[in-house]
């Protein structure tokens, strides 16, 4: 089954015919909310709002381990993660969709692995390619068919938040090779890999990263909501295609 994790602005999936919700208890505590099960185009899908259904959980307080564990416990094999990002690279302008292919992790103080506590042998997952290529291709194709092509590739910088970055920090991220910046991509992607799930992200560019607005403006988070809400119409179409071409 395919899972969709919704990010900022996406606390529900408008095209999901909901069948039931289920609260999952995990050894890692509470997920962001109950899992929402349903169908899109007759395919089983499960949805989880990363920030909670009332959008109350900030990026650094999300229980990523519980979220991914809960999905895996329901026989989820693939996860499509929707995430809003700030655009650093010039072509990543507000409203654009992007399917990143690499990650740099700047987060700290988050519970970021299942391999702790000394019960299991030490495991080092291969994370050379952090996203599933197959799922990335499917997202890119879906976006093309849906008429809202997504930009193929880019380095996602995961920052700690919840504050936005300084202009100098964005310059540094760019020197490091980052193309976009968000607060939730890690440890989510690594945890999915640890549990053997295919994982890919669809980035929605919500704003120019700090210091990159051509008009010299700062970042107005309220304006972001409008951009994301509009882009989510496209995201919905993309997801419909992805689900329709996914083996259950
Ligand atoms: N920085 C970090 N995270 C974000 C941004 C940003 O500019 N926009 C959306 N998520």
């Amino acid at each position: 089954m395919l899972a969709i994790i919704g990010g900022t602005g996406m606390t529900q999936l408008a095209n999901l015919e909901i069948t039931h919700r289920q609260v999952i208890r995990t050894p890692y505590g509470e997920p962001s909310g109950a899992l929402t099960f349903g169908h899109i185009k007759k395919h089983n899908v499960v949805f989880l709002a990363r920030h909670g259904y009332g959008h109350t959980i900030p990026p650094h307080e999300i229980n990523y381990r519980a979220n991914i564990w809960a999905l895996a416990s329901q026989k989820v094999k693939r996860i499509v993660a929707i995430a809003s990002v700030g655009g650093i690279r010039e072509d990543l302008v507000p409203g654009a969709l992007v399917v990143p292919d690499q990650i740099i992790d700047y987060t700290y103080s988050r519970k970021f692995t299942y391999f702790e506590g000394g019960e299991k042998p030490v495991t080092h997952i291969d994370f050379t390619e952090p996203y599933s290529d197959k799922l990335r291709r499917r997202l890119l194709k879906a976006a093309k068919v849906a008429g809202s092509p997504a930009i193929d590739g880019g380095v996602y910088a995961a920052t700690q938040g919840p504050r936005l970055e300084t202009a100098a920090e964005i310059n540094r991220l760019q020197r490091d090779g980052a193309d976009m910046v968000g607060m939730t991509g890690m440890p989510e992607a690594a945890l999915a890999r640890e549990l053997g799930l295919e994982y890919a992200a669809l980035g929605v560019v919500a704003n120019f990263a700090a210091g990159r607005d051509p008009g010299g403006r700062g970042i107005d988070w309220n304006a972001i909501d409008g951009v994301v809400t509009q882009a989510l119409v496209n995201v919905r179409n993309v997801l419909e295609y992805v689900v329709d071409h996914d083996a259950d």
Side-chain angles (χ1 to χ4, degrees), residues 33-47:
L35 302 186
T36 306
F37 293 84
H39 309 289
I40 294 179
K41 293 202 156 186
K42 300 201 167 40
H43 298 277
N44 290 328
V45 174
V46 53
F47 175 77

Side-chain angles (χ1 to χ4, degrees), residues 84-86 159 164-165 181-183 207 209 219 221:
S84 74
V85 296
T159 56
L164 292 155
E165 298 72 34
V181 56
M183 299 173 191
N207 56 285
I219 300 171
W221 196 258

Side-chain angles (χ1 to χ4, degrees), residues 86-142:
I88 300 176
R89 208 172 69 198
E90 260 179 22
D91 57 331
L92 293 175
V93 296
L97 299 183
V98 56
V99 180
D101 62 353
Q102 277 296 333
I103 297 174
I104 303 177
D105 187 8
Y106 299 92
T107 64
Y108 49 88
S109 304
R110 298 183 180 190
K111 297 278 191 189
F112 57 89
T113 181
Y114 295 107
F115 299 124
E116 62 177 26
E119 285 155 32
K120 297 186 205 114
V122 177
T123 306
H124 303 284
I125 53 161
D126 175 28
F127 208 42
T128 312
E129 299 298 332
Y131 299 110
S132 154
D133 189 53
K134 216 162 99 191
L135 210 44
R136 284 192 68 253
R137 301 266 137 240
R138 199 171 297 155
L139 274 170
L140 287 162
K141 173 131 193 243

Side-chain angles (χ1 to χ4, degrees), residues 56-77:
T56 50
I57 311 172
H60 60 293
E61 286 180 353
I62 291 166
N63 191 339
Y64 296 94
R65 293 197 301 184
N67 285 353
I68 301 297
W69 197 94
L71 293 173
S73 77
Q74 299 304 300
K75 307 219 173 349
V76 162
K77 295 280 181 270

